[in-house]
Amino acid sequence: MRGAGKQVWAVLRREYVERVKTKGFIFSTIAIPLLMLGMIGLSAFMAMRSEQSQRRLALIDFTGQVGEEVARRMEATGYDLEIVGTQVGLEELDRRVLEGEIEAYVVLDDLTLQEGAFAYRSEDSPGRIRGALMESIVVETVLELRLSLTENTAGVRELLGGSHLNFERLGEEVSEVEEVSGIATGFAGAMILYIAMLLYGSFVLRSVLDEKRNRVVEVVISGVTPGRLMLGKILGVGCMGMTQLGIWAACAGLIGLLGVPMLAANIPEADLGQITEFLPGIGALVLLLVYFVLGFFLYSSLFAAVGAMCSTEEEAQQAQFPIMMLLIVPFMLQMFSLQGDAFAWMDWAALFPFFSPILMFPRAVSGAVAWWMVGMSLVFMVIAVGATAWVAGRIYRVGILMQGKRPTLRELARWIREA
Amino acid sequence: MTEAAVRLAGVTKSFGSHTAVSDFDLEIPRGSILGLLGPNGSGKTTSIRMMMAILVPDRGTVELFGGFPDFARRSRVGYLPEERGVYEKMKVLEQLVFLGEIRGMERKIVRKRAMEWLERLDLGEWAGKKVQALSKGMQQKVQFIGTVLHNPELLILDEPFSGLDPINQEVLESIVLEQREQGATILFSTHLMEQAERLCERVCLISKSRKVLDGNLKEIKRRERSGVVAVEFEGDDRWLGRLGVTEIEKVGDAHHLPLNPRVDGDRILAAAVAEGVSLRRFELLEPTLREIFVRHAGDPAEEPVLLAAGGAR
């Protein structure tokens, strides 16, 4: 019909402009990148601090046998070791620790040779990982020393030195970096999709509900058909979401562009090339966009239908529960598969259109499923968007003009049939 | 162009066990102005909502411009609902521009016209304010502008004047009449009889979900003669006693004489002439709408809301 596009455009623009102008939008749009920046800054700051002070250790060796080897190995893991002579008093070392000159000092003595026990004297505990690392260095060194005293132990030494898990992938060749990058991108993408569909979907619900509650819709509907109103609304909220995500992505890009080289300059060992390899490629970003657009249409039409059948905020809270489940279930499944509990049936569950964005996107970018399954999920989603929009549109058309209690399932079915 | 602007035939609508509108027939010819009168809860709003296809009648048919009130026909209507629905967070002018735009008006044109209307209704300086900053009465005026902005052929106004001060009521009344001059058909509901009497050419009275009567106001009044003659004269009033009329009431300078089967107007006039008093006024009184309503719809005590004195609610 003539003017349909214009009407949808008018609704879209109103929805978009009114939302983008709100304090909530402006605040969250600015706050999230700042939060990102703050977190990155904080962790960089922490990293640099530990770089400077926490890595300076002193070592005092009363055995006269393992000290140098232990120090060498610890230095290999990134510590800055200073071997002090046994004539230096422990009180002197204590003072240096308390004054912050060194982080800690390690004492090796006869007990070390017998039982592998050693002292780590510091203000703070080394933490479990660092502690375990040191323990293994000391024990290995002592073990090697003891073995070398007894017999020919070349074979045993090799065994000690070379324990390694070599993961060998069957099938397609994927580099390790690519795989890690794929998993990270997949997880981040699933997270973004989950939050975006939930957040922007519920904006659509709120918008529909508000219009219905204050009865503006009764006036608006005399100028524009319900279908166009719903479409314009969904598009308007969608554009707002894209704007927000776009701003965030741009901020993330900017932080990456400026921050990564800065970070790299401060950490000499960091390999810039390796960092960039972890970033998602253009293909993954396009796929993310496609899943977002389809998923948003799918869910926002459901949310619009729920908004149209309710009359109060409380009712809407309850009525949106099934939709939330549709989002939460795949998210939980995705968490399981991230922890390694992936089952083959999950790949098939990822074909269910309502699950596809959250389940299929990570599988697609980490190369866990065949490309045809990804394609199939997109086709299914397109079909589902059409079908859902049709059903939701009918519920919407009747619902926005209904006041009073929420319809039963039987009534809903009648709306869909008769609308 | 001969079909009625609005036609209801045998329309019935119930909500659960409560019948809101029962077997309602109504026809509003094009170009006329009709007042839908009745107390609160008599079914005015339900009828209007059925005309706008917001509610679907259980029985009977509703027609706008000779057909089902589909989208194309509804878009020729300016509708002011009873609930004052507005986008509270939107600015006044932007809200009006939006309402015009969805009806296919050009943005520039609608902006200019909305501004003219705002100026006319003394809201010019509020154009850039959010709607929620306006008083209820001002919001109502904004909404009213939204109703007439696209020059609709038919105005359906549900209690358009309620809640407004007399000055603004008058302003809106004059706009309604002006729209009428320009050829629009107008239907408005009210529970204020005096207002309907002032504005309407046709009225439709409903009470307790049923239509009491409808038609041209003048014809109704002629038909529904009050049966009272008012006479004013100079001279002796003893001749009145000889007329055979009981319950003569003195209202100001006038005597109100209720007629009865043996005494009609001619007889009173002849008696006055025969007596030789000098008549200043002789008038067959028209009933007020209120009297007509009470006569048809029953005991006024049962309709306290309706019969509360006129003026702003």
Side-chain angles (χ1 to χ4, degrees):
Chain A
M1 203 192 286
R2 200 167 54 86
K6 234 174 112 179
Q7 285 183 328
V8 172
W9 173 244
V11 176
L12 186 161
R13 176 163 57 198
R14 194 202 78 82
E15 196 71 36
Y16 179 82
V17 170
E18 290 305 311
R19 286 194 174 277
V20 168
K21 276 197 312 200
T22 60
K23 288 194 188 74
F25 176 85
I26 295 169
F27 178 77
S28 61
T29 306
I30 295 173
I32 298 270
L34 286 182
L35 209 69
M36 279 195 302
L37 202 63
M39 262 157 62
I40 290 173
L42 193 72
S43 60
F45 176 72
M46 298 288 277
M48 272 191 265
R49 255 185 63 109
S50 61
E51 199 65 34
Q52 281 157 9
S53 71
Q54 294 189 4
R55 301 210 150 220
R56 288 176 60 90
L57 300 181
L59 186 144
I60 186 159
D61 179 21
F62 293 106
T63 66
Q65 295 178 68
V66 287
E68 272 179 43
E69 181 60 16
V70 168
R72 195 186 60 74
R73 291 192 184 197
M74 279 194 180
E75 269 177 346
T77 64
Y79 288 99
D80 197 359
L81 260 288
E82 174 196 356
I83 302 178
V84 293
T86 48
Q87 76 283 358
V88 178
L90 293 190
E91 298 77 19
E92 165 69 4
L93 288 172
D94 285 346
R95 186 189 58 76
R96 286 176 67 188
V97 169
L98 291 175
E99 279 176 10
E101 200 179 311
I102 50 174
E103 166 73 10
Y105 66 93
V106 174
V107 186
L108 305 175
D109 54 20
D110 290 345
L111 216 55
T112 310
L113 293 183
Q114 285 164 32
E115 298 171 8
F118 63 101
Y120 177 91
R121 292 175 65 91
S122 172
E123 283 180 295
D124 303 309
S125 138
R128 258 174 52 200
I129 294 173
R130 287 168 68 184
L133 195 67
M134 286 181 202
E135 276 171 19
S136 74
I137 286 172
V138 171
V139 170
E140 271 178 35
T141 312
V142 173
L143 202 57
E144 279 178 31
L145 176 77
R146 303 250 302 254
L147 284 170
S148 68
L149 295 176
T150 51
E151 54 192 280
N152 183 356
T153 56
V156 181
R157 254 193 253 178
E158 217 168 276
L159 181 66
L160 276 174
S163 71
H164 235 82
L165 184 144
N166 289 322
F167 170 63
E168 282 165 29
R169 170 180 288 280
L170 301 178
E172 244 178 292
E173 195 63 39
V174 184
S175 84
E176 201 177 327
V177 170
E178 242 175 72
E179 195 190 333
V180 172
S181 152
I183 289 173
T185 308
F187 177 70
M191 191 86 179
I192 290 170
L193 287 170
Y194 171 74
I195 293 173
M197 289 189 298
L198 192 63
L199 186 68
Y200 301 135
S202 59
F203 278 173
V204 171
L205 185 153
R206 178 66 50 86
S207 170
V208 170
L209 187 64
D210 281 352
E211 244 172 43
K212 178 180 171 175
R213 267 197 321 190
N214 67 16
R215 313 275 182 117
V216 181
V217 73
E218 290 180 12
V219 177
V220 174
I221 227 70
S222 69
V224 56
T225 61
R228 291 174 206 165
L229 182 61
M230 185 172 126
L231 180 64
K233 211 168 254 308
I234 289 175
L235 287 176
V237 174
C239 287
M240 178 214 79
M242 295 287 265
T243 304
Q244 193 162 48
L245 290 176
I247 290 173
W248 289 343
C251 286
L254 213 63
I255 290 171
L257 221 59
L258 302 177
V260 170
M262 227 164 70
L263 215 62
N266 279 307
I267 306 171
E269 310 102 273
D271 180 354
L272 199 60
Q274 208 177 356
I275 294 174
T276 50
E277 269 183 80
F278 279 97
L279 295 177
I282 289 293
L285 290 179
V286 169
L287 195 64
L288 182 68
L289 191 69
V290 170
Y291 274 115
F292 170 70
V293 169
L294 289 175
F296 172 73
F297 269 110
L298 199 56
Y299 276 97
S300 56
S301 36
L302 285 185
F303 276 114
V306 167
M309 41 171 132
C310 298
S311 306
T312 66
E313 199 89 12
E314 295 74 33
E315 265 180 15
Q317 293 280 333
Q318 287 174 18
Q320 68 179 339
F321 182 72
I323 309 181
M324 307 282 263
M325 286 314 289
L326 277 180
L327 278 165
I328 291 169
V329 166
F331 192 69
M332 299 301 288
L333 290 179
Q334 187 50 31
M335 296 299 273
F336 291 145
S337 36
L338 194 73
Q339 285 164 14
D341 301 329
F343 297 103
W345 62 263
M346 286 187 188
D347 293 349
W348 295 103
L351 284 177
F352 178 52
F354 288 94
F355 290 1
S356 285
I358 294 172
L359 285 183
M360 194 55 95
F361 174 74
R363 281 169 172 70
V365 291
S366 66
V369 290
W371 64 267
W372 60 264
M373 276 187 78
V374 179
M376 210 153 85
S377 83
L378 290 177
V379 171
F380 285 177
M381 279 191 78
V382 170
I383 296 168
V385 165
T388 309
W390 187 81
V391 171
R394 293 183 149 235
I395 294 176
Y396 180 82
R397 192 190 308 178
V398 181
I400 44 170
L401 299 175
M402 278 295 162
Q403 298 290 337
K405 72 170 192 45
R406 218 168 82 202
T408 59
L409 279 180
R410 185 194 299 264
E411 281 168 320
L412 263 190
R414 211 187 64 219
W415 290 7
I416 295 168
R417 267 201 320 276
E418 293 176 3
Chain B
M1 289 295 278
T2 49
E3 81 269 22
V6 178
R7 188 203 313 272
L8 305 185
V11 168
T12 300
K13 178 75 189 176
S14 308
F15 299 105
S17 60
H18 168 68
T19 304
V21 174
S22 176
D23 202 20
F24 189 18
D25 296 316
L26 177 68
E27 201 169 312
I28 309 177
R30 289 208 176 202
S32 63
I33 172 164
L34 177 135
L36 187 58
L37 284 155
N40 293 347
S42 55
K44 300 189 296 283
T45 295
T46 305
S47 309
I48 286 178
R49 286 160 71 88
M50 284 190 284
M51 292 174 203
M52 290 309 291
I54 292 168
L55 294 173
V56 182
D58 299 335
R59 270 204 313 280
T61 53
V62 177
E63 283 182 0
L64 285 183
F65 307 111
F68 181 78
D70 58 8
F71 171 67
R73 292 196 175 87
R74 285 203 309 272
S75 64
R76 290 154 69 185
V77 178
Y79 169 52
L80 183 78
E82 189 187 20
E83 293 89 4
R84 306 303 172 207
V86 283
Y87 290 111
E88 299 212 313
K89 300 235 158 69
M90 261 182 122
K91 289 181 181 157
V92 171
L93 184 60
E94 280 165 16
Q95 166 133 321
L96 292 173
V97 169
F98 172 69
L99 289 175
E101 252 188 317
I102 56 171
R103 294 191 157 99
M105 293 171 75
E106 286 299 331
R107 207 172 158 75
K108 258 194 224 139
I109 295 169
V110 70
R111 180 173 285 271
K112 185 164 155 283
R113 201 180 293 171
M115 206 56 225
E116 287 166 7
W117 274 111
L118 286 171
E119 297 288 354
R120 181 167 174 192
L121 289 179
D122 273 339
L123 288 168
E125 57 197 288
W126 295 87
K129 296 271 193 325
K130 281 188 180 176
V131 176
Q132 62 189 8
L134 272 61
S135 75
K136 262 204 127 137
M138 288 195 275
Q139 287 187 15
Q140 195 169 333
K141 288 201 284 181
V142 171
Q143 210 185 1
F144 182 83
I145 296 173
T147 313
V148 294
L149 196 56
H150 59 295
N151 288 336
E153 291 167 56
L154 169 64
L155 282 174
I156 296 184
L157 313 168
D158 200 349
E159 298 275 0
F161 310 107
S162 73
L164 291 175
D165 60 63
I167 294 169
N168 277 310
Q169 254 185 47
E170 219 163 281
V171 172
L172 291 205
E173 278 179 19
S174 71
I175 294 173
V176 167
L177 290 175
E178 182 188 291
Q179 292 284 316
R180 156 89 211 287
E181 305 270 282
Q182 291 168 6
T185 310
I186 290 150
L187 162 78
F188 72 92
S189 74
T190 182
H191 57 267
L192 302 178
M193 296 287 165
E194 290 73 11
Q195 193 167 48
E197 216 158 354
R198 197 160 59 233
L199 291 175
C200 294
E201 157 189 276
R202 303 177 69 86
V203 291
C204 172
L205 307 184
I206 55 178
S207 168
K208 294 174 194 153
S209 343
R210 292 189 172 276
K211 181 169 85 178
V212 175
L213 81 168
D214 76 321
N216 185 290
L217 185 58
K218 281 207 185 90
E219 281 171 19
I220 290 176
K221 286 197 169 181
R222 208 172 305 142
R223 201 170 62 224
E224 300 277 330
R225 269 195 297 238
S226 66
V228 176
V229 166
V231 286
E232 273 177 55
F233 54 90
E234 277 161 36
D236 201 344
D237 64 0
R238 267 175 305 174
W239 63 281
L240 294 173
R242 293 195 291 272
L243 278 170
V245 179
T246 50
E247 294 171 24
I248 296 174
E249 203 181 343
K250 188 114 180 6
V251 181
D253 286 342
H255 295 266
H256 284 189
L257 315 175
L259 303 178
N260 61 46
R262 282 173 294 110
V263 184
D264 60 7
D266 295 346
R267 174 113 190 258
I268 294 172
L269 188 60
V273 172
E275 191 66 25
V277 297
S278 73
L279 268 181
R280 275 210 310 260
R281 176 177 166 221
F282 179 90
E283 187 185 355
L284 199 55
L285 285 184
E286 277 191 343
T288 62
L289 207 45
R290 178 182 305 209
E291 282 163 352
I292 296 172
F293 189 90
V294 171
R295 196 178 300 165
H296 286 268
D299 188 357
E302 284 176 23
E303 312 280 8
V305 182
L306 168 72
L307 293 160
R313 184 163 53 169

